[in-house]
Amino acid sequence: MNAWVHRLPIAKWRTLSPDTLKKDLVAGVTVSLVAIPQSLAYAQLAGVPAYYGLYAALIPTIVGALAGSSRQLSTGPVAMTSLLTAASVAPLAAHGSEVFYAYVVLLALLSGMFQVMFGALRMGVLLNFLSNPVLMGFINAAAIIIGLSQLPTLLGISATQSSHFLLDIWQVLIHIDTMHEISVAFGVSAILLLLAFKKLAPRLPGVLITVVLLTWISYEIGYASMGGKVVGVVPQGLPTLSIPLLDWNATKSLIPAGFVIALISFMEAMSSSKVIALKTRQPWDENKELIGQGLAKIASAFCHSLPVSGSFSRSALNLATNAQTALSSVVSAVFVLLTLLFFTSLLYHLPKPVLAAVIMMAVIGLVNFQSIANAWRASRDDGIAAIVTFLATLAFAPNIQNGILTGIILSLALLLYRMMQPRVADLGIFEDGTLRDARRHNLPLLHPKLGAIRFDGALRFINVSYFEDALLTFERENPSVRHILVKCNGVNSLDASGVEMLSTLISRLKNNGITLGFSGPKKQVREVMDNTGLSQKIGTDNIFSSDQEAFDQLFLRGVIDTRIGRPI
C-alpha cells in the first residue's frame, strides 16, 4: 500500500521547487479560465443543469490528478463523453426530469467501476479492440452529431427528441422560420468572437472573455425577459456528497452504455497521455491511468454529476503553459471552487446559445475526414471499417454507442477474415536472385520439377484448410512438379491443427510422387515440428535453413538438373 502511495503524483509535491510551484500555479489558473465555461457547456450537452459541469470540474478533477499517472492530464467534463451520456440515458427517461439526472449519475458510477476493474485486472490491452480507423470514423460522426445537436439551442428553436436524431435535425431545419433572432445573434456573435480569438490572440482566454462579454450584454438588454434561454440559477456552495441512487432495472439497461463510455473516454484520455509522455519524456502507466480515470468518474457520481474524462484541449493547454505536476489540476479545481462559492450569481444571465457556440467550436477540430481517407489508402478493410462506423454512428444517433459497437464488431470480423485467408504466393526467381511473387512479377516456374510457395501468416486452425487448398491447387496446375518448397520464414507459429493438416498433406502428396519441403522455419515453428514428430514425417533432409541451401541440396540430389539462385 505504501509503495502505491509513493507512486502517486502527490508524493512528488514535497520536493517542489519555487520555479515548479510557480509554473503549476500559472498553468492551473490558465486552464481554469477555459475549464469553467467549457464545463457549463458540456453539462448542457449531457442534458443536465449547467452547475453539474462545475461539480464535475471540482472533486473529480482532483481525484483524477492524484490517482492517475500522467502529471499534465486534465480531467473533467468533455464533449464526447457528455454526448454519449445524453444518448445513453435518453431512451430511459424524459429529458430534463429528475429521473434523467439520476440515471446520468448512475452512468458515471457504472463507467467508473468498469475502468477501475479494467485497470486493477491490468486489462488496458482491451483498448486494442478499438482500432484507429474505427475510432476515427466514430469521432468524425460524433463531432458532427455534437455540432448539429446544438442547432436548436443556437437558433432558439424548441425541438423534440426522438429515436432518430437526423430526422429531429431535419425538423429543426424546416422550421427555421420560427428561430429566435436574438438567440441567433448571441450564438453567431460567440462563434465569430471565438474564431477571432483563436486566429488573432490565441494566448488570451478567448472562451472566458467571450462568455463574460456576452453574459454582460445579456444582463444589460434583459435577454431572459425577451424569451431567451439562460443558464439561470446556479446553486451556491459545494456539491452534496451522497451515495448515487441505485436502480437495478436502470443499471441493467445502462451497463452496455457504461462499458462503451469507459472504453471511449479512456481512449480520449490515453491519446492525451501519449502525447504528453512523448513531449515530456515522462513515463505513464495505462492501467494506473485507467484506475485514476475510473475513480474520477466514481467521485463524480458521489458528487451527483456527470461522467468525466481526460480532456485533450485542456491537457494540451496544461502542457503548453509548462505545468510540471498534477498540482496544476488541483489549482484549476480551486478556482472552480471559488466560482461555486462566490460567483454563481454572475452565471444567471449566461445565454445558452453562447454555450452552444462554445461546444460547436470545441468539436469542430475533431472533424478530420483525411484520417478516413488515409485508412482507405492503407487498407481497404480499414477504410471500410472507418466508413461503416461513420455511417452507422450517424444512422443510430442519438444512440451513438451502437455505431462504435458496429465498428468494433466489423473490424474484428474483417480481421478474422484476413486471418482465415492470409496471403499465399507462388514464387519465381527474380533477376536479383531472390524469390518473389511469380504472378505479380510475371515470373516463370523455378524448374519444371520444382515449385515454391510463400505463406504469410501463422498456420493455425482458422486457416489450415486455406493453406491446404492453396498447395493442392498448385499441384493440380503444375502436374510435372515433383518437389514443392514452402518458404516459411513468414510463418510465426504452428498449432496442433496445422501439424495434423501438414501430416495428412505430406502423405497425400507422397502418394502422388511429390515431396514437400520447408525452408527457413523459425525456431518456435521448428520446435513444434520436432516435438510433435512432424519433422520425422517431413524428413529432416527436407527442412532447410534457407532457400539457397534448398536449391543447392536439391541440385546435388538430382531432383533438379540446373542450379537456381546466386552462385555459391
Side-chain angles (χ1 to χ4, degrees):
M1 179 67 179
N2 288 335
W4 184 79
V5 170
H6 284 300
R7 291 200 301 268
L8 291 175
I10 192 174
K12 299 180 175 60
W13 295 3
R14 294 174 297 180
T15 58
L16 283 181
S17 66
D19 182 61
T20 298
L21 188 61
K22 178 182 176 182
K23 288 179 179 178
D24 283 345
L25 182 62
V26 171
V29 172
T30 305
V31 170
S32 69
L33 298 179
V34 175
I36 292 170
Q38 276 192 350
S39 298
L40 296 169
Y42 294 151
Q44 175 174 297
L45 180 60
V48 295
Y51 60 85
Y52 274 51
L54 294 178
Y55 291 169
L58 182 56
I59 295 177
T61 296
I62 297 173
V63 171
L66 300 186
S69 66
S70 178
R71 301 177 192 176
Q72 290 84 9
L73 184 66
S74 177
T75 302
V78 296
M80 199 70 67
T81 302
S82 297
L83 176 65
L84 281 166
T85 298
S88 303
V89 176
L92 304 178
H95 189 274
S97 66
E98 290 300 323
V99 175
F100 185 98
Y101 303 154
Y103 287 175
V104 167
V105 173
L106 178 59
L107 191 55
L109 179 65
L110 293 174
S111 56
M113 291 174 66
F114 269 119
Q115 287 190 329
V116 170
M117 179 181 68
F118 293 156
L121 296 176
R122 306 193 66 79
M123 295 173 65
V125 68
L126 281 175
L127 298 173
N128 295 330
F129 284 108
L130 189 57
S131 68
N132 187 69
V134 169
L135 184 62
M136 290 301 101
F138 174 75
I139 287 177
N140 275 280
I144 291 173
I145 292 168
I146 290 171
L148 291 177
S149 70
Q150 298 307 300
L151 268 182
T153 304
L154 191 77
L155 299 174
I157 297 176
S158 297
T160 57
Q161 287 188 328
S162 70
S163 58
H164 300 287
F165 173 78
L166 295 179
L167 290 179
D168 294 342
I169 296 301
W170 176 248
Q171 290 297 317
V172 170
L173 294 177
I174 63 177
H175 291 98
I176 199 169
D177 56 316
T178 64
M179 65 182 178
H180 189 237
E181 289 83 357
I182 301 178
S183 295
V184 176
F186 270 104
V188 173
S189 297
I191 290 175
L192 294 176
L193 283 170
L194 291 170
L195 286 172
F197 277 112
K198 184 176 181 180
K199 184 175 183 180
L200 302 177
R203 291 184 177 274
L204 294 178
V207 176
L208 183 67
I209 295 173
T210 298
V211 168
V212 170
L213 176 61
L214 294 178
T215 301
W216 175 75
I217 294 175
S218 169
Y219 167 74
E220 287 293 327
I221 68 173
Y223 171 65
S225 62
M226 300 167 67
K229 293 182 179 179
V230 295
V231 167
V233 177
V234 175
Q236 189 175 29
L238 299 177
T240 302
L241 298 181
S242 60
I243 299 174
L245 177 65
L246 300 178
D247 182 308
W248 175 240
N249 291 327
T251 300
K252 288 191 297 183
S253 301
L254 289 172
I255 281 177
F259 175 82
V260 172
I261 288 178
L263 188 66
I264 298 299
S265 67
F266 188 68
M267 284 296 296
E268 190 170 9
M270 184 184 71
S271 299
S272 298
S273 297
K274 282 185 174 180
V275 171
I276 291 169
L278 286 173
K279 291 187 176 181
T280 63
R281 298 184 179 180
Q282 296 170 352
W284 77 286
D285 186 320
E286 63 182 16
N287 291 303
K288 183 179 176 183
E289 197 61 60
L290 265 170
I291 294 175
Q293 290 293 307
L295 291 175
K297 285 182 174 63
I298 293 172
S300 190
F302 279 85
C303 294
H304 285 260
S305 189
L306 64 153
V308 295
S309 183
S311 167
F312 190 86
S313 61
R314 296 195 297 274
S315 298
L317 183 59
N318 221 4
L319 189 62
T321 49
N322 296 316
Q324 300 296 301
T325 72
L327 178 60
S328 61
S329 292
V330 175
V331 172
S332 172
V334 168
F335 274 80
V336 173
L337 171 63
L338 294 175
T339 301
L340 283 168
L341 291 177
F342 304 111
F343 304 115
T344 56
S345 60
L346 301 180
L347 300 174
Y348 182 93
H349 292 280
L350 172 54
K352 288 191 174 182
V354 174
L355 294 180
V358 170
I359 293 171
M360 286 181 167
M361 293 304 299
V363 301
I364 193 170
L366 297 176
V367 179
N368 180 14
F369 292 119
Q370 186 62 42
S371 61
I372 297 179
N374 290 340
W376 180 268
R377 295 189 189 101
S379 165
R380 289 293 181 265
D381 287 353
D382 286 341
I384 290 171
I387 292 170
V388 169
T389 302
F390 176 81
L391 295 176
T393 303
L394 289 176
F396 281 119
N399 300 310
I400 62 173
Q401 64 273 16
N402 294 336
I404 194 73
L405 291 174
T406 299
I408 291 173
I409 292 171
L410 177 62
S411 62
L412 291 176
L414 291 172
L415 173 63
L416 187 63
Y417 179 77
R418 287 195 298 270
M419 291 175 63
M420 291 175 63
Q421 295 189 330
R423 181 174 176 76
V424 179
D426 298 347
L427 301 177
I429 198 77
F430 199 62
E431 58 188 20
D432 62 357
T434 59
L435 294 179
R436 301 283 185 89
D437 189 326
R439 291 177 181 168
R440 173 174 290 185
H441 298 284
N442 195 26
L443 301 175
L445 197 66
L446 291 174
H447 187 277
K449 293 185 179 181
L450 173 64
I453 69 166
R454 185 184 68 233
F455 185 78
D456 297 332
L459 195 52
R460 295 174 178 159
F461 70 95
I462 198 170
N463 56 29
V464 291
S465 61
Y466 185 76
F467 176 85
E468 184 178 25
D469 290 343
L471 261 293
L472 295 176
T473 299
F474 183 87
E475 177 202 12
R476 287 194 300 270
E477 292 177 350
N478 302 279
S480 64
V481 165
R482 288 295 170 262
H483 196 106
I484 298 177
L485 180 67
V486 179
K487 181 181 175 66
C488 55
N489 54 351
V491 180
N492 294 314
S493 65
L494 176 66
D495 70 358
S497 298
V499 170
E500 182 63 27
M501 179 275 296
L502 288 175
S503 180
T504 303
L505 186 62
I506 289 166
S507 299
R508 178 173 176 176
L509 291 174
K510 187 177 292 185
N511 291 336
N512 295 335
I514 297 173
T515 301
L516 191 62
F518 297 83
S519 70
K522 294 187 176 179
K523 181 180 179 181
Q524 64 268 28
V525 174
R526 183 61 190 266
E527 287 177 349
V528 173
M529 289 179 171
D530 294 341
N531 294 338
T532 59
L534 182 61
S535 295
Q536 287 70 32
K537 183 103 179 189
I538 297 170
T540 54
D541 57 340
N542 291 319
I543 302 177
F544 310 99
S545 61
S546 67
D547 302 329
Q548 192 60 55
E549 181 192 353
F551 299 150
D552 294 339
Q553 288 296 321
L554 293 175
F555 174 76
L556 293 174
R557 294 178 201 171
V559 176
I560 55 178
D561 53 13
T562 57
R563 286 192 179 275
I564 297 175
R566 296 190 183 94
I568 299 177

